[in-house]
Amino acid sequence: MSVDRRPTVLFVCVHNAGRSQMAAGYLRALSDGRVEVLSAGSEPRDQINPVAVQAMAEEGIDIADQVPKILTVDAVQESDAVITMGCGDTCPIFPGKRYEDWELEDPAGKDLDTVRRVRDDIRGRVTALLAELLPTSV
């Protein structure tokens, strides 16, 4: 029986403090380790948005220990799918990679109800992405 390599997904937003961290948290939780999950930002903040942490905790997913990271060419090169969320042209493009741009409201500075809406939108998109990446196991 052969062991297939796990797909790698990179979530990218400007600050790597809200949307991309929530998406990464969901994919880690929902994939049960079957997908390698990365996240980064073109202009990372110094900490995760505390309202995003709170909204994800309501779902039983702890992202409080995550640290915003700068987007690197290496992270893009090692990823099978790159999901951008409002970072525009700052994400390098490499042939043969799957790219998607998810238009999501930026939760920075927003209240908990708004962040919950963004979180729920992200969950639906991550669930659909996971079904495409691992079609026989969802």
Side-chain angles (χ1 to χ4, degrees):
M1 183 163 156
S2 69
V3 176
D4 293 330
R5 187 183 70 80
R6 295 184 304 167
T8 300
V9 176
L10 170 63
F11 293 103
V12 182
C13 67
V14 176
H15 300 127
N16 191 222
R19 295 168 288 189
S20 57
Q21 292 287 356
M22 289 191 288
Y26 270 127
L27 189 55
R28 277 188 205 98
L30 297 174
S31 72
D32 294 323
R34 294 170 295 164
V35 176
E36 181 72 27
V37 182
L38 306 172
S39 70
S42 53
E43 298 172 26
R45 291 283 161 109
D46 57 353
Q47 68 179 20
I48 303 294
N49 177 341
V51 183
V53 171
Q54 181 182 355
M56 291 301 287
E58 293 175 352
E59 296 279 290
I61 299 172
D62 182 5
I63 62 169
D65 63 342
Q66 297 298 310
V67 177
K69 293 171 273 317
I70 187 73
L71 176 64
T72 65
V73 170
D74 288 345
V76 175
Q77 284 182 312
E78 68 186 61
S79 298
D80 299 299
V82 179
I83 311 298
T84 58
M85 305 170 185
C87 67
D89 296 331
T90 61
C91 191
I93 304 292
F94 292 97
K97 302 287 180 193
R98 172 183 175 165
Y99 291 91
E100 286 184 34
D101 185 51
W102 292 356
E103 290 189 26
L104 297 162
E105 183 176 357
D106 187 348
K110 302 292 187 347
D111 64 16
L112 183 57
D113 285 338
T114 302
V115 175
R116 284 178 179 137
R117 271 197 321 276
V118 174
R119 175 201 67 197
D120 294 346
D121 186 0
I122 289 170
R123 182 182 179 120
R125 292 169 189 251
V126 167
T127 300
L129 176 66
L130 186 57
E132 293 173 23
L133 292 172
L134 305 171
T136 59
S137 57
V138 176

